[in-house]
Amino acid sequence: MSVETIRNLVADHKRGRTVGITSVCSAHPLVIEATFVHALRRDARFVLIEATSNQVNQDGGYTGMVPADFRAFVEGIADRIGYPRDRLVLGGDHLGPNAWTSLPADAAMAKAEIMIGDYVRAGFAKIHLDCSMSCEGDPTPLPERTVAERAARLCRVAEDAYSGDPADAPVYVIGTEVPVPGGAAEDLDTLAVTTPEAALATLDMHRSLFAEAGLKDAWERVIATVVQPGVEFDHMKVVDYDPAAATALSEAIVPVDHIVFEAHSTDYQTADALAALVRDHFAILKVGPGVTFALREALWALDAIERETVPAEQRANLRATAIARMQAEPGNWRKYYHESGDALELQLQYSLSDRIRYYWPDAEISEAQARLFDNLRAHTPPLPLLSQYLPVAYAAVRAGIATLDPIDLIVAHIGATLDAYYGACNPNA
């Protein structure tokens, strides 16, 4: 998995070309399949798929996978779809002590060091060094110097863990200015855009401490810094990108060699807003809940089609099963959803933070999904119902680029979300 292409693309952007990179942050097999299918249809230069420190770590994360497992998992899907491995780049997002903040800093950082080494040895090529979170006994927020010192410490571990061709050594992302990954837990109206002074100070501090740690070569492979361009979403609203509010921040990165901005929480931005972000040097766009939200939309649509085409006693009732399991096991949403009754059920299903994504591996939900797919293969959805519930997939079927198989229909629906990112990152394609 060569990283030369990703470095070349960043270099192209720095030379004035309006190009960007889409980073798909999901461990769901159907989302990953949709990403590969979409990339093949669009002849994308490469696919970037990232795992977070909570999803995948040496303890298994919430997916149960260590970094080497995740690589094998993703490559297995790529092989099945026919996507070339040499056009796949894996990344690690928010890699730092985030999964162990209940521990004292030294213990949490020791765990983070093990994780970083495992990611690099497993072939992850894009590493986000994020040590912004406070551990037990730390002040909140952490001083900028402490954040940068810890990032440099983890970078040293990554450099020591890498043993391949120097041309393929990891690239790095620094900084963070986002809420809890996956969207804000509170209602939002507006956001404070990172100031140019703060963004440049972060860069200067990291550059200085990398040099002190003997990491000048690694610094040349820092491709991005995370900032807040003023985009976010809560349960039911989206804060849209306002180019005018981010003009000073956008201009601040122009003279900085080999580094662009990385924008998190870009999920649910309009196609025009995504294009404006890339134009304004927020050239790496992260998307996670946005694609799993599209997955849930497609599954609910298939559930509705099942209710109209399959006898009641044979139905999988995926939607009802998923809601029941979420209510029985509230650990993944209780801190985020605070309604009751019908309002809670609305959030469980439709919140833009998409906490339902944590429940798809549940055994009862997986069994219901498999039965739903079997039912719809035995009772092929008629085109009028497909047009009613999944119009994007209907269009793909009518164009001859998707079949009526339920997985094809889901992949086509997710592809519409990926299209907006592709268009923003490749405006001349």
Side-chain angles (χ1 to χ4, degrees):
M1 293 179 286
S2 172
V3 299
E4 183 179 3
T5 302
I6 198 168
R7 293 184 70 185
N8 288 344
L9 195 146
V10 170
D12 285 348
H13 187 98
K14 296 301 291 185
R15 285 192 289 265
R17 287 189 59 201
T18 306
V19 291
I21 299 168
T22 302
S23 170
V24 176
C25 302
S26 177
H28 196 288
L30 289 177
V31 169
I32 294 171
E33 178 172 338
T35 301
F36 288 136
V37 169
H38 181 268
L40 287 171
R41 288 180 180 157
R42 296 299 183 191
D43 194 25
R45 293 167 70 178
F46 63 92
V47 160
L48 172 60
I49 293 175
E50 301 207 40
T52 70
S53 57
N54 284 329
Q55 283 177 326
V56 175
N57 57 48
Q58 69 268 31
D59 299 327
Y62 68 73
T63 64
M65 288 186 277
V66 301
D69 295 335
F70 186 80
R71 175 179 177 170
F73 166 69
V74 173
E75 287 182 339
I77 298 172
D79 292 346
R80 178 167 53 80
I81 300 303
Y83 190 82
R85 289 191 183 188
D86 61 3
R87 288 166 58 188
L88 167 64
V89 177
L90 292 178
D93 193 29
H94 296 289
L95 299 190
N98 190 46
W100 304 285
T101 54
S102 62
L103 300 176
D106 284 347
M109 285 296 294
K111 298 277 281 185
E113 287 180 333
I114 294 170
M115 177 182 65
I116 287 278
D118 286 353
Y119 266 81
V120 172
R121 284 186 289 271
F124 286 68
K126 178 179 176 288
I127 303 295
H128 176 202
L129 303 167
D130 182 7
C131 296
S132 61
M133 58 290 299
S134 298
C135 301
E136 182 186 347
D138 279 338
T140 303
L142 279 182
E144 182 80 30
R145 184 177 182 87
T146 302
V147 173
E149 286 174 342
R150 292 178 182 177
R153 174 178 167 181
L154 294 185
C155 185
R156 168 51 62 198
V157 172
E159 291 291 284
D160 291 345
Y162 183 73
S163 59
D165 186 336
D168 292 333
V171 296
Y172 298 104
V173 175
I174 62 165
T176 189
E177 204 153 319
V178 292
V180 175
E186 68 279 358
D187 289 338
L188 295 171
D189 291 308
T190 60
L191 285 171
V193 175
T194 303
T195 66
E197 295 78 14
L200 295 176
T202 294
L203 285 167
D204 289 343
M205 179 67 74
H206 280 76
R207 185 189 297 110
S208 174
L209 290 175
F210 273 49
E212 287 182 18
L215 294 166
K216 286 186 177 180
D217 288 345
W219 182 259
E220 295 302 310
R221 284 180 272 114
V222 174
I223 60 169
T225 181
V226 179
V227 293
Q228 176 52 269
V231 301
E232 189 49 79
F233 56 91
D234 60 21
H235 298 312
M236 299 294 166
K237 299 194 299 296
V238 179
V239 178
D240 291 315
Y241 178 57
D242 178 2
T247 298
L249 176 61
S250 169
E251 292 174 348
I253 202 68
V254 173
V256 179
D257 289 341
H258 64 79
I259 294 176
V260 296
F261 287 135
E262 177 169 286
H264 291 214
S265 298
T266 68
D267 313 73
Y268 314 112
Q269 294 291 308
T270 66
D272 286 346
L274 293 172
L277 282 162
V278 173
R279 179 201 66 209
D280 293 345
H281 314 304
F282 306 97
I284 303 176
L285 304 177
K286 305 296 285 289
V287 58
V291 282
T292 52
F293 185 90
L295 165 71
R296 195 271 315 148
E297 286 182 323
L299 288 169
W300 267 212
L302 293 177
D303 177 90
I305 291 171
E306 180 190 51
R307 288 200 302 273
E308 300 211 39
T309 58
V310 176
E313 67 276 8
Q314 298 176 21
R315 292 174 196 159
N317 297 311
L318 171 64
R319 178 173 168 175
T321 300
I323 296 169
R325 292 301 299 144
M326 291 184 77
Q327 291 173 331
E329 302 287 344
N332 287 312
W333 58 262
R334 179 176 282 155
K335 291 191 299 183
Y336 303 90
Y337 302 159
H338 307 296
E339 301 290 348
S340 60
D342 290 345
L344 174 60
E345 188 163 312
L346 191 72
Q347 284 190 331
L348 291 175
Q349 297 180 76
Y350 300 112
S351 169
L352 296 173
S353 66
D354 194 49
R355 305 301 297 181
I356 197 172
R357 70 187 186 276
Y358 295 99
Y359 291 85
W360 296 126
D362 176 271
E364 290 184 37
I365 297 174
S366 295
E367 182 180 349
Q369 178 182 295
R371 186 176 176 187
L372 171 66
F373 290 177
D374 287 344
N375 283 343
L376 294 179
R377 287 171 181 141
H379 301 80
T380 303
L383 286 177
L385 281 185
L386 190 59
S387 178
Q388 174 69 37
Y389 291 110
L390 282 170
V392 171
Y394 168 83
V397 170
R398 296 291 289 131
I401 59 175
T403 73
L404 289 167
D405 186 86
I407 290 179
D408 260 17
L409 300 177
I410 291 169
V411 164
H413 186 77
I414 295 171
T417 297
L418 296 171
D419 257 346
Y421 283 85
Y422 181 80
C425 294
N426 304 273
N428 297 317

